[in-house]
Amino acid sequence: MTDHEAQPTARRDQPTGDTADDPVRHGAGQGGEGSAHGTADSDAGDDAGRDTGQDNGAQVSTGSETAGAPEAAIPELVIISGMSGAGRSTAAKCLEDLGWFVVDNLPPALIPTMVELGARSQGNVARIAVVVDVRGRRFFDNLRESLADLESKHVTRRIVFLESSDEALVRRFESVRRPHPLQGDGRIVDGIAAERELLRELRGDADLVIDTSSLNVHELRAKMDAQFAGEEEPELRATVMSFGFKYGLPVDADLVADMRFLPNPHWVPELRPYTGLNEEVAAYVFNQPGAKEFLDRYAELLRLIAAGYRREGKRYVTIAIGCTGGKHRSVAMSEKLAARLAAEGVETVVVHRDMGRE
């Protein structure tokens, strides 16, 4: 297989010097719906306003059913959780728009019952999404028991975890002038720390972690659409993300590789203005000792890892490829690696997080 035999199934390049975790972040930091204050959770006010420590009952909503959806004895299940203010409500609304039956703030102990009711619907409720969060923390200890019960009944379930940095969460809660549901008499940061500890195990079990620190609502919806809009669910989806170490590690990365062992095109004057998407820059990178060998061996390693992920039922993986600034080496390697994965039958999306940030 040559490096040019396949192209990634999708690519989202960053054209400008924006600063969000996703390259398509127009309008971030501006006013309005897509602003930093209402970033991935412009519904942060929703979460904050409702996360008062009171269990106010499950709120049920349904999206329009997809025409001709195949009947299934047991509905497909997605559990949405994560940090308050990180975008749970936005993620749930996105699935609702895609035709999922969405249940907000359902006590975890009732999740198996919800699935059983869906199974009796003769295919009318084939996909169920349940939002689980600290509003139901009196029932949160039952979540692990419910997950074990679902596994024993061979229910296909996925956990989507919405993550965000402390700084972003504090900014969102302050912008809507609401307390964090767990802060009590302390500060917002105290509530965030308590919630992180409470959700630590669930985050580790998540099938998909989305970092919304720098995303606005439109970008979060785009990420959810990319994962759930397809009619046929692929065995494994991969996001290959280039990044710059000087801007920090991607918090949602499952695997991280470092390209700083290769000479930096930044120090070649005629290549410095360009990115790793440029053919001359890519040729320079892959003509360096070790570049092609790394690509071959890392692709082989990923085949081994992907096979294990499939056996374990893990459907999403984020592979982060880093260099100093996220402009040259990591971009060129990410493109080639994504092409290799696509050739192996892995549905692949390329994200260049920091390209154009300088």
Side-chain angles (χ1 to χ4, degrees), residues 82-145:
M83 299 298 295
S84 297
R88 295 183 309 241
S89 298
T90 297
K93 290 173 184 175
C94 181
L95 291 185
E96 183 179 339
D97 291 342
L98 292 173
W100 289 67
F101 188 93
V102 178
V103 186
D104 190 12
N105 197 24
L106 182 72
L110 296 182
I111 294 177
T113 301
M114 191 74 226
V115 173
E116 290 178 11
L117 292 174
R120 297 175 189 172
S121 69
Q122 299 180 343
N124 291 322
V125 181
R127 299 179 297 176
I128 298 174
V130 177
V131 180
V132 176
D133 54 54
V134 292
R135 280 176 289 160
R137 60 185 176 277
R138 288 187 302 179
F139 308 95
F140 207 83
D141 291 339
N142 297 327
L143 179 58
R144 187 160 294 280
E145 295 179 12

Side-chain angles (χ1 to χ4, degrees), residues 42-211:
S42 67
D43 51 18
D46 263 357
D47 285 342
R50 294 177 303 191
D51 291 358
T52 57
Q54 300 176 357
D55 296 314
N56 47 14
Q59 303 165 7
V60 181
S61 59
T62 59
S64 55
E65 295 296 329
T66 304
E71 293 188 5
I74 301 178
E76 184 179 357
L77 174 67
V78 167
I79 297 173
I80 300 173
S81 191
M83 299 298 295
S84 297
R88 295 183 309 241
S89 298
T90 297
K93 290 173 184 175
C94 181
L95 291 185
E96 183 179 339
D97 291 342
L98 292 173
W100 289 67
F101 188 93
V102 178
V103 186
D104 190 12
N105 197 24
L106 182 72
L110 296 182
I111 294 177
T113 301
M114 191 74 226
V115 173
E116 290 178 11
L117 292 174
R120 297 175 189 172
S121 69
Q122 299 180 343
N124 291 322
V125 181
R127 299 179 297 176
I128 298 174
V130 177
V131 180
V132 176
D133 54 54
V134 292
R135 280 176 289 160
R137 60 185 176 277
R138 288 187 302 179
F139 308 95
F140 207 83
D141 291 339
N142 297 327
L143 179 58
R144 187 160 294 280
E145 295 179 12
S146 295
L147 294 178
D149 186 13
L150 294 170
E151 185 174 354
S152 69
K153 295 176 181 177
H154 307 289
V155 175
T156 300
R157 60 90 176 152
R158 285 168 287 171
I159 299 174
V160 177
F161 192 95
L162 282 302
E163 176 65 277
S164 193
S165 68
D166 287 2
E167 293 80 3
L169 294 176
V170 169
R171 185 174 65 247
R172 293 169 190 173
F173 276 103
E174 287 182 343
S175 71
V176 295
R177 301 183 184 276
R178 295 282 188 175
H180 187 281
L182 295 186
Q183 76 179 73
D185 294 329
R187 300 177 301 160
I188 291 176
V189 291
D190 299 326
I192 292 172
E195 187 175 33
R196 283 201 192 283
E197 185 60 32
L198 181 65
L199 298 177
R200 187 178 302 280
E201 277 193 55
L202 184 62
R203 188 192 190 284
D205 292 338
D207 298 282
L208 176 63
V209 177
I210 300 178
D211 176 26

Side-chain angles (χ1 to χ4, degrees), residues 26-38 216 218:
H26 307 298
Q30 302 172 357
E33 187 179 16
S35 70
H37 294 297
N216 62 41
H218 308 296

Side-chain angles (χ1 to χ4, degrees), residues 2-20:
T2 66
D3 292 341
H4 300 287
E5 284 178 333
Q7 295 296 325
T9 57
R11 186 174 80 198
R12 291 176 288 172
D13 301 334
Q14 174 159 329
T16 63
D18 298 328
T19 58

Side-chain angles (χ1 to χ4, degrees), residues 275-354:
T275 72
L277 298 178
N278 177 271
E279 292 184 5
E280 293 182 3
V281 173
Y284 175 87
V285 170
F286 283 96
N287 282 334
Q288 303 304 318
K292 293 179 180 178
E293 291 81 359
F294 172 86
L295 176 62
D296 292 339
R297 295 182 185 183
Y298 198 57
E300 183 178 353
L301 176 63
L302 289 177
R303 281 194 289 271
L304 177 65
I305 294 173
Y309 279 168
R310 290 186 178 103
R311 287 193 299 269
E312 293 300 315
K314 183 176 175 65
R315 301 192 182 202
Y316 313 99
V317 59
T318 299
I319 305 161
I321 308 294
C323 62
T324 302
K327 179 179 179 180
H328 296 113
R329 294 164 290 179
S330 62
V331 172
M333 186 63 70
S334 294
E335 289 290 321
K336 295 289 187 182
L337 184 61
R340 291 286 185 94
L341 292 174
E344 296 290 333
V346 178
E347 185 172 327
T348 308
V349 174
V350 182
V351 177
H352 298 305
R353 191 191 75 172
D354 299 322

